Amino acid sequence: MNLLVVGLNHKSAPVEIREKLAFNKSSVPIALSQFSRRFPSAEVVILSTCNRVEIYVAEPENCVIDEDVYDFLAVFHGLEKSSFVDYWYYYSGGDAVNHLFQVTSSLDSMVLGESQIISQVKEAYTTAKEEECTDKVLNQLFQQSLAVAKSIHTNSTICQGKVSVSSVAVEFAKRIFQEFSDKVVFIIGAGEMCELVVKSLCAEGINAVMVTNRSYENAEALASEYGGKAIKYDLLNEYLPKADIVISSTSAPHFVISPENIVDGIKARRGNPMFLIDIAVPRDIDPAVGKMSNVYLYNIDDLNSVVSKNVGERENEIEECKVLIENEVNRFISWLEEIKIAPVVAQLRRHFHCIGEEELLRLKPKLTNIDPKDWDQVVYAMERTINKILHQPAKVGKQEAKNGSGHKYIEVIRKLFGIKGVEV
Amino acid sequence: MSIAHYCIFITTIVFYFLSSVWSVGALIKPKRFGLLATNRFMFTGFIIHTFYLIFFCIKDKGLPVTNIFESVIFLIWCIILIFVVVDFLYKLKAVLAFLMPFVTIFSICSILFIGNDLALSGDLQKFWLVAHIIPTFLGYASFGIAFIASIMYITVQRQLRTNFTGTLLTRLPSLEGLDSLIWRTLTFGFPLITLGLVLGFVWIRFSNILGSNWLLDHKVMLGIAAWLVYAALLHLRMIASFHGTKIAVLTIVGFCLILFTFIGTFFFGATHGFRDKASNGQMEEVIILNEEIN
């Protein structure tokens, strides 16, 4: 049994290469059926995301190698093999299993611990299964990989703690506010980062967005995107007290919000908390504002420090997750060895039963006066004897397979009993 | 009090202590300490506590407030009862991490009152006792939860300002959620405590349990002061629409005053219906003598 993975990801290949070799949703089934036609005995799954393209192959006759997969990809995408072959990685056997488990558990993702990859792996597997491109081995492999990923995400903190500035900002907002539907967000400066934070906040249920910018047109454009209201830059101080969340990212060289122009607004809020995010460099909001009562101010460094801490915490979990994955890989390999042993044991049984039947055929003409009931007893005794003899070899075979030395067992069986045609 | 009594109450405290350890642990190391165990410990302690109080109810043929120890453990029971209701309604398990250590310490402190000689006067009428005690204690318990929520509010606020990278922050409720909990428990407790006070005044007018100078009773004076603090607090919130830190701080001050009113006054000689067992005996003799004369 040959199990291999050929692939490229964000670490091994630049986006220019990845985009040429990526499969879209509609091309995956076509690629799967073409691959199956070319290698009928192979099981195949294609995993194609924005960060990786991987082809998992399980094949019992050892006739598919990595070069075959490269050739297939070159033909399918109409590319020169030499243009991409340097960017690919190749794993086989236990390494391939380990790689898939790491990918599904998002240990190999660009953002460590992200959960989207689980659904992407699940989708890739489901597509291959629907196209009847998977069988016993890849079914077991992918089902186990999804179970491992689920277990890691549940039992470790690898996916806890936000690791992007916008999600950390939302996390802070959640520590201050319970309900977002009645909150007002005020965006000062229509920058890209502001937009990311607003997008995340809107996903939490914020309805009211106010946008101000030196260029009123840009403010209007961003406001219309989120169904908000554009405010003229001169009216900033007037609208400020109405906001519960303020996100500032202007390119102004001086403070845009200082304690003097917010103090009345804060008083008017009667102790209702106000959350300010200053993602501008140089800063837009005077740090003294953050010292005011019921005002919570965070700048880009504050948000980045949380991101770094969360990334560090996730990285600390990697080793623990790798140990868990290693155990699961061993479990899968044992299972794989067991299913390799099964045909050998079956062949051994057939071999012994053939010998038994031959002996019975030789014996029967000599016992012409034997009662049919007695003859049945003789046949039964022969079968019992063979089964008893084979019980221990079958048990040992399974045990050897679990220990990873199934191939030696097969070799011994072949030599001892002269069985031909058994794969080693 | 027999050794069996001691053992039952100590068992309750042990369960409350385990619940404290687990609830605080669940905040710091959630992987190691499960909230399920926290809940189980708390409920087991609460059930034993309930049976313990039922035993006192049967013994006293009424509410378990015949001495200071019983009153204190009845108040602790009321606080947990209010929490159970709050948790059922708003699912705020993190409150346990702050409530259970408080409950455990309060329970341990209550042991100090076991040998206290003050006991409720024999001439207290059961109806008025129940009418005064039940709303007052439930009001106190609601203010107790508001107090815990206020401490949490101040903690979250401090974390947001000084230690915003701390993992603890992510496991505590939001400021707004805590503010809303403070408000809800205050508005539940205030009418109850008002009712308790009013019924107490009516009772005083009908009977002579606190003597003629009942207004000078430490507990009455401090009770009125605490009521005024809470009235001011609700006024600030309802009329002046105040939220946040000021409300949390005032709630903490108010509950400290309540605690002092409840227990502290006894250390300053106030008895508030409680008398020495010896004088209770004399009182009963006088009552019997009066009945014989009549």
Side-chain angles (χ1 to χ4, degrees):
Chain A
M1 175 62 70
N2 190 20
L3 182 64
L4 63 95
V5 55
V6 177
L8 49 76
N9 63 14
H10 57 282
K11 292 175 199 161
S12 72
V15 67
E16 297 81 37
I17 300 293
R18 294 205 307 272
E19 68 190 5
K20 280 180 192 163
L21 290 151
F23 295 87
N24 58 35
K25 240 179 180 176
S26 56
S27 67
V28 171
I30 300 165
L32 285 168
S33 62
Q34 283 186 13
F35 193 94
S36 292
R37 270 204 301 276
R38 194 162 163 186
F39 305 104
S41 61
E43 299 176 47
V44 61
V45 173
I46 297 175
L47 172 66
S48 181
T49 71
C50 51
N51 280 331
R52 67 183 67 245
V53 179
E54 289 177 345
I55 299 181
Y56 292 86
V57 182
E59 197 271 324
E61 291 159 11
N62 288 345
C63 63
V64 180
I65 57 167
D66 54 333
E67 287 297 326
D68 295 324
V69 183
Y70 298 145
D71 289 337
F72 168 77
L73 283 164
V75 173
F76 188 84
H77 290 291
L79 297 167
E80 278 293 318
K81 202 166 106 179
S82 58
S83 68
F84 63 83
V85 78
D86 293 341
Y87 299 102
W88 288 78
Y89 46 78
Y90 160 77
Y91 301 109
S92 65
D95 293 340
V97 179
N98 194 310
H99 178 75
L100 175 65
F101 286 3
Q102 291 209 19
V103 166
T104 318
S105 310
S106 76
L107 297 190
D108 197 48
S109 298
M110 186 182 263
V111 179
L112 185 69
E114 55 103 2
S115 54
Q116 203 187 358
I117 188 70
I118 299 180
S119 52
Q120 288 168 333
V121 171
K122 197 173 182 181
E123 197 186 336
Y125 165 60
T126 312
T127 309
K129 202 176 173 192
E130 278 167 4
E131 292 296 317
E132 294 177 350
C133 294
T134 63
D135 201 354
K136 209 162 134 189
V137 177
L138 288 193
N139 281 343
Q140 172 69 20
L141 178 67
F142 275 81
Q143 280 165 14
Q144 197 173 331
S145 81
L146 291 166
V148 171
K150 199 177 165 191
S151 159
I152 283 179
H153 279 238
T154 315
N155 300 322
S156 78
T157 54
I158 195 119
C159 55
Q160 285 176 10
K162 305 295 175 193
V163 288
S164 72
V165 167
S166 57
S167 54
V168 166
V170 173
E171 203 56 30
F172 272 124
K174 281 184 183 172
R175 302 279 63 85
I176 297 166
F177 305 110
Q178 188 179 27
E179 181 61 49
F180 284 90
S181 56
D182 57 344
K183 300 293 176 295
V184 179
V185 183
F186 193 13
I187 306 163
I188 306 167
E192 194 187 336
M193 193 61 116
C194 275
E195 202 180 332
L196 278 173
V197 179
V198 174
K199 202 175 172 183
S200 305
L201 284 169
C202 285
E204 293 297 329
I206 279 201
N207 292 319
V209 179
M210 299 191 292
V211 187
T212 188
N213 196 49
R214 282 210 182 273
S215 152
Y216 188 69
E217 289 73 35
N218 287 352
E220 268 189 324
L222 185 61
S224 66
E225 205 172 317
Y226 294 97
K229 184 180 172 187
I231 310 286
K232 288 206 168 115
Y233 195 74
D234 308 337
L235 302 173
L236 189 150
N237 289 340
E238 198 180 306
Y239 280 88
L240 206 53
K242 291 177 184 164
D244 300 290
I245 302 168
V246 178
I247 310 160
S248 186
S249 173
T250 75
S251 50
H254 52 78
F255 292 136
V256 175
I257 302 171
S258 56
E260 295 76 49
N261 52 17
I262 205 172
V263 68
D264 292 336
I266 295 295
K267 273 184 192 163
R269 290 179 62 76
R270 299 283 184 189
N272 277 311
M274 191 181 209
F275 174 44
L276 297 107
I277 312 163
D278 183 1
I279 37 186
V281 179
R283 286 176 293 177
D284 281 345
I285 305 172
D286 190 336
V289 170
K291 292 191 172 68
M292 296 169 81
S293 179
N294 296 312
V295 174
Y296 303 92
L297 167 67
Y298 300 96
N299 61 37
I300 189 73
D301 277 3
D302 297 334
L303 299 177
N304 276 333
S305 66
V306 178
V307 169
S308 310
K309 182 191 155 262
N310 290 346
V311 168
E313 277 178 3
R314 285 186 178 198
E315 281 171 356
N316 289 341
E317 287 283 304
I318 289 180
E319 288 312 311
E320 208 175 301
C321 296
K322 280 186 175 169
V323 171
L324 203 146
I325 284 177
E326 198 56 50
N327 292 337
E328 288 295 321
V329 170
N330 291 337
R331 207 160 67 85
F332 180 80
I333 295 295
S334 298
W335 175 83
L336 199 61
E337 290 293 332
E338 262 186 64
I339 64 159
K340 276 187 203 170
I341 288 289
V344 182
V345 173
Q347 206 159 358
L348 190 65
R349 281 186 193 283
R350 272 201 302 276
H351 178 73
F352 270 71
H353 281 286
C354 279
I355 294 170
E357 276 166 20
E358 278 169 19
E359 285 305 307
L360 288 173
L361 281 174
R362 195 183 61 79
L363 187 65
K364 202 171 182 184
K366 291 176 187 172
L367 303 170
T368 46
N369 297 330
I370 193 167
D371 186 66
K373 278 184 183 172
D374 293 339
W375 176 249
D376 286 346
Q377 283 298 321
V378 172
V379 173
Y380 179 65
M382 172 72 86
E383 278 174 1
R384 267 178 69 90
T385 310
I386 292 170
N387 285 340
K388 279 191 172 176
I389 291 169
L390 290 178
H391 174 73
Q392 188 61 12
K395 200 174 147 189
V396 171
K398 279 188 179 176
Q399 199 56 48
E400 290 294 307
K402 270 185 188 166
N403 297 336
S405 45
H407 60 286
K408 281 185 193 165
Y409 171 83
I410 295 169
E411 184 72 18
V412 170
I413 293 289
R414 197 166 66 89
K415 277 185 181 168
L416 275 177
F417 300 106
I419 299 167
K420 302 259 191 271
V422 176
E423 291 294 335
V424 179
Chain B
M1 194 150 156
S2 69
I3 293 171
H5 277 204
Y6 260 120
C7 290
I8 294 169
F9 191 60
I10 298 288
T11 313
T12 310
I13 294 175
V14 167
F15 278 108
Y16 287 160
F17 174 73
L18 287 172
S19 177
S20 308
V21 172
W22 252 256
S23 55
V24 173
L27 274 191
I28 299 161
K29 282 191 174 176
K31 267 170 81 179
R32 195 164 167 189
F33 298 91
L35 268 175
L36 193 66
T38 311
N39 258 356
R40 281 178 183 166
F41 286 135
M42 190 268 285
F43 274 109
T44 313
F46 186 60
I47 289 164
I48 299 172
H49 196 156
T50 309
F51 280 111
Y52 193 49
L53 286 175
I54 290 171
F55 164 77
F56 278 120
C57 287
I58 294 165
K59 191 191 83 166
D60 301 335
K61 294 190 182 71
L63 283 177
V65 289
T66 54
N67 59 46
I68 297 176
F69 170 70
E70 286 180 17
S71 303
V72 171
I73 63 165
F74 183 49
L75 176 63
I76 296 168
W77 184 85
C78 288
I79 290 174
I80 299 176
L81 179 73
I82 295 286
F83 166 75
V84 171
V85 175
V86 163
D87 185 46
F88 177 75
L89 293 175
Y90 309 115
K91 305 275 173 283
L92 286 166
K93 284 275 180 290
V95 174
L96 270 177
F98 288 74
L99 176 71
M100 290 320 289
F102 170 76
V103 162
T104 310
I105 293 167
F106 204 15
S107 304
I108 292 167
C109 291
S110 69
I111 295 173
L112 296 174
F113 297 106
I114 286 177
N116 196 296
D117 280 340
L118 287 176
L120 207 61
S121 309
D123 56 342
L124 293 182
Q125 294 166 44
K126 290 278 191 268
F127 168 76
W128 286 107
L129 184 70
V130 173
H132 172 59
I133 294 288
I134 295 282
T136 309
F137 272 48
L138 285 175
Y140 281 175
S142 290
F143 289 161
I145 300 294
F147 164 76
I148 296 294
S150 299
I151 290 176
M152 289 177 80
Y153 189 97
I154 304 285
T155 310
V156 174
Q157 197 184 46
R158 282 182 68 86
Q159 290 266 316
L160 277 166
R161 286 197 189 283
T162 56
N163 187 22
F164 52 82
T165 53
T167 42
L168 181 67
L169 191 61
T170 54
R171 287 164 198 142
L172 291 173
S174 64
L175 284 180
E176 202 178 47
L178 289 167
D179 189 60
S180 149
L181 176 63
I182 296 169
W183 172 241
R184 281 170 176 152
T185 42
L186 284 180
T187 46
F188 179 72
F190 190 72
L192 287 171
I193 213 149
T194 309
L195 182 70
L197 278 176
V198 169
L199 289 172
F201 289 137
V202 175
W203 188 15
I204 291 166
R205 296 285 296 165
F206 277 119
S207 65
N208 195 26
I209 46 170
L210 296 182
S212 54
N213 288 331
W214 57 271
L215 252 174
L216 294 177
D217 182 280
H218 292 58
K219 210 165 180 176
V220 173
M221 284 201 299
L222 279 165
I224 294 168
W227 185 87
L228 285 172
V229 168
Y230 281 104
L233 211 158
L234 291 180
H235 172 82
L236 272 175
R237 175 75 183 233
M238 287 174 83
I239 311 296
S241 185
F242 260 78
H243 291 74
T245 323
K246 281 180 188 165
I247 296 288
V249 170
L250 266 175
T251 307
I252 292 170
V253 171
F255 191 69
C256 289
L257 202 57
I258 291 271
L259 272 186
F260 187 68
T261 312
F262 186 65
I263 304 166
T265 47
F266 290 114
F267 295 112
F268 291 90
T271 54
H272 194 73
F274 288 86
R275 293 193 178 91
D276 287 345
K277 279 174 185 162
S279 60
N280 265 345
Q282 285 169 12
M283 181 72 78
E284 276 161 21
E285 278 171 19
V286 170
I287 292 167
I288 293 163
L289 213 71
N290 284 341
E291 279 173 359
E292 279 175 2
I293 292 164
N294 291 333

